Amino acid sequence: MKAPYIVPAHRSVLPGYLDLATRTRIAGWAQPEAGGEPVALQILDNGKPVARVIANQARPDVARAGFSEVRCGFDLLIPASLPVHERHVIQVRRESDGSELSGSPVVIEAARALDEDLQRLVRQVAQGAQTNTEREDILAFLADVADKLLASHARTESGQEQRERYSRLARRYGPAIPQKTRTPRALIIDENLPVSGRDAGSQAILSHARSLKELGYNVSFVAASDMDPDRSACMPLEQEGLTFWHAPHYTSVEDLLRRQAGAFDVVYLHRIGVATRYLALARHYQSGATVLYSVADLHHQRLNGQGVLEKRPELLALSRSVRLQECTAAWQADGVLTHSPEEEAWLSKAVPQARIACVPWAIPVRSPVKDFKKRRDIAFIGNYAHAPNLDGARWFVETILPELRAKSPDLTVWLVGAHLPPHLCWPEGVRVVGHVEDLDKEVLDRVRLTVAPLRFGAGIKGKVLESFAAGVPCVMTQTAAEGLKLPRALASLATKDEKGLKACILRLYADPERCQTLSEKVQAYVAATFSEKTTTDALHAAIKMAAQKRKIAEQPA
């Protein structure tokens, strides 16, 4: 087949202008010939002719400007769009003598991303499908492209691409090729992203994440129940140098574990619901990782306490089921983290094969308090969607508060925290505060005492520790004091019964100087027991112990 004729280039410039040159459209105007005949133009792409056009379309804007006649324009839609992955040099020449139009040539670089032309082309193809078969073909193609792109993204994020490149170089040039030291990676899985100040679980996870960073890990999060979290929840993590995995790059926790297979050194599963669902998957896809199950608190003990107190057999049955899940997860994991020494002892007895470690979380201590004489009232702080907190608030208001106000009429209890049911009616002496943005300024800087009148529950209570860290004494039941191992100087804050709770609150509320003394002691207790160093050292020891268990398990019988 004879090749198309190419007009040889001419040094002269054709009056006119190439206004637009894209992969799909070329437009502009050219001054007519001397006799008024419109100009015939040849379009070239990378030196090869792709189209011919007559510049005879109306261009009143050019005529009004005095540059040419009205009919001097051209606007050409290229039937087959120019390939997006190639670089194109577009030239427009007069067919009669090769004079090149002003503004020509135009260079269109190869697309490096999904630019406007490429997006338009994809839309046209998708919208042009007429039958279900055509649509299925397009969907299959796009799904395949998306899957390959997501796999490539995951390989880069996990460092697999870099490791494979080093392996190729080492095979070619020998092991002397310098290799960048690999940073160990830790993945934390929870139901939702942690939010500072929201709950004790969030505080614990964020503290452990910081400790992992201190130990040299690259730390990332994934939220099982929210793969597309609100940006405001992600920004604080990013500011601390932590990574979060989310849609559209990953559709689920399993998708992340699969796409980044073998990329993590530690997988941290928070709470039993997460451990039950993902422990086996973590084992399968992250076979070289140390798998940690962070208990947070033993849910079955809380359910059992609630079932006994409320005489609910269905909760007792659920407690037995959850107990089995918790023991199974402890047995399967390389290491188990708990915050409470009591829970550590219980798990060690219930699952002797497990490696249990008591790891606190870091709680910063505020400046010393010096104004207890000016303070008034007491506060109960908690999230009231949590059954022990709502039960404790109602029991305290109905049973404890009347006698307190009989002895001290000016005393008011603040109910602080989210999700307090709006239909409940509270008597005089109760101030419903609800959720506060700054717990320290709005509550802990103003009250004389806090109370934790819990009748059932499990694990260490975060709000007790926050009160201590702020220098505010907290009077509590034995249930609320679980796992704290209070020193002798603070032991009186944990009361044995209803009578002791009332007496302790009245005694301290009437004695600001005693509150001042206790304030210094509770802060010293938190500083010694829940410091960043204590947390990091305990977590480091737990990971080493868990890694040893994994190595022993991998040895042939």
Side-chain angles (χ1 to χ4, degrees), residues 332-351:
Q332 290 179 326
D334 296 319
V336 182
L337 310 182
T338 180
H339 309 310
S340 165
E342 281 87 344
E343 291 187 344
E344 179 188 17
W346 188 92
L347 281 166
S348 297
K349 184 177 180 180
V351 191

Side-chain angles (χ1 to χ4, degrees), residues 127-148:
Q127 293 170 358
Q130 300 296 316
T131 66
N132 276 345
T133 300
E134 292 176 349
R135 296 185 189 98
E136 288 171 3
D137 290 342
I138 294 171
L139 286 171
F141 170 76
L142 292 176
D144 181 64
V145 171
D147 186 69
K148 287 181 170 61

Side-chain angles (χ1 to χ4, degrees), residues 273-388:
V274 167
T276 300
R277 280 180 286 167
Y278 301 115
L279 201 153
L281 287 172
R283 278 263 187 265
H284 179 70
Y285 291 115
Q286 308 296 328
S287 56
T290 299
V291 179
L292 302 176
Y293 161 40
S294 178
V295 172
D297 59 58
L298 288 173
H299 292 11
H300 83 269
Q301 293 185 352
R302 170 167 46 81
L303 289 168
N304 184 74
Q306 184 179 3
V308 170
L309 182 69
E310 298 177 358
K311 297 180 174 57
R312 294 175 60 183
E314 78 279 10
L315 289 181
L316 297 176
L318 179 59
S319 171
R320 291 191 292 272
S321 174
V322 173
R323 172 179 172 168
L324 177 60
Q325 292 176 3
E326 290 174 329
C327 290
T328 301
W331 177 72
Q332 290 179 326
D334 296 319
V336 182
L337 310 182
T338 180
H339 309 310
S340 165
E342 281 87 344
E343 291 187 344
E344 179 188 17
W346 188 92
L347 281 166
S348 297
K349 184 177 180 180
V351 191
Q353 305 91 338
R355 298 288 180 97
I356 319 294
C358 186
V359 182
W361 71 90
I363 302 172
V365 176
R366 298 184 63 206
S367 301
V369 179
K370 298 180 179 179
D371 59 349
F372 276 94
K373 289 184 179 180
K374 299 179 182 179
R375 292 170 175 245
R376 293 289 182 273
D377 301 335
I378 61 178
F380 177 34
I381 305 168
N383 184 325
Y384 298 102
H386 191 51

Side-chain angles (χ1 to χ4, degrees), residues 350-465:
V351 191
Q353 305 91 338
R355 298 288 180 97
I356 319 294
C358 186
V359 182
W361 71 90
I363 302 172
V365 176
R366 298 184 63 206
S367 301
V369 179
K370 298 180 179 179
D371 59 349
F372 276 94
K373 289 184 179 180
K374 299 179 182 179
R375 292 170 175 245
R376 293 289 182 273
D377 301 335
I378 61 178
F380 177 34
I381 305 168
N383 184 325
Y384 298 102
H386 191 51
N389 290 336
L390 181 59
D391 172 80
R394 297 183 67 172
W395 177 69
F396 183 84
V397 169
E398 294 170 3
T399 307
I400 309 296
L401 185 61
E403 187 169 335
L404 297 182
R405 284 182 57 81
K407 300 284 182 65
S408 184
D410 63 333
L411 185 148
T412 298
V413 61
W414 299 10
L415 299 182
V416 183
H419 306 300
L420 196 63
H423 65 276
L424 295 179
C425 296
W426 303 99
E428 187 178 357
V430 176
R431 177 186 171 191
V432 177
V433 178
H435 172 72
V436 295
E437 292 296 331
D438 191 328
L439 183 63
D440 289 333
K441 290 184 178 180
E442 297 182 52
V443 179
L444 294 176
D445 282 351
R446 301 171 63 183
V447 297
R448 187 173 291 180
L449 294 173
T450 63
V451 293
L454 303 183
R455 298 195 291 173
F456 60 90
I460 289 180
K461 313 307 179 289
K463 296 307 180 185
V464 173
L465 294 177

Side-chain angles (χ1 to χ4, degrees), residues 5 34 48 83 158 170 184 198 226 236 247 253 272 285 311 320 338-339 387 440 475 481 517 555:
Y5 172 70
K48 296 180 181 180
S158 67
R198 183 181 62 190
D226 189 5
V253 174
I272 186 58
Y285 291 115
K311 297 180 174 57
R320 291 191 292 272
T338 180
H339 309 310
D440 289 333
V475 181
T517 302
Q555 292 176 358

Side-chain angles (χ1 to χ4, degrees), residues 105-142:
V106 170
V107 178
I108 304 174
E109 296 293 346
R112 300 297 180 190
L114 199 63
D115 64 5
E116 185 178 342
D117 284 343
L118 189 53
Q119 290 180 34
R120 185 184 302 110
L121 177 61
V122 173
R123 288 194 191 95
Q124 288 174 351
V125 172
Q127 293 170 358
Q130 300 296 316
T131 66
N132 276 345
T133 300
E134 292 176 349
R135 296 185 189 98
E136 288 171 3
D137 290 342
I138 294 171
L139 286 171
F141 170 76
L142 292 176

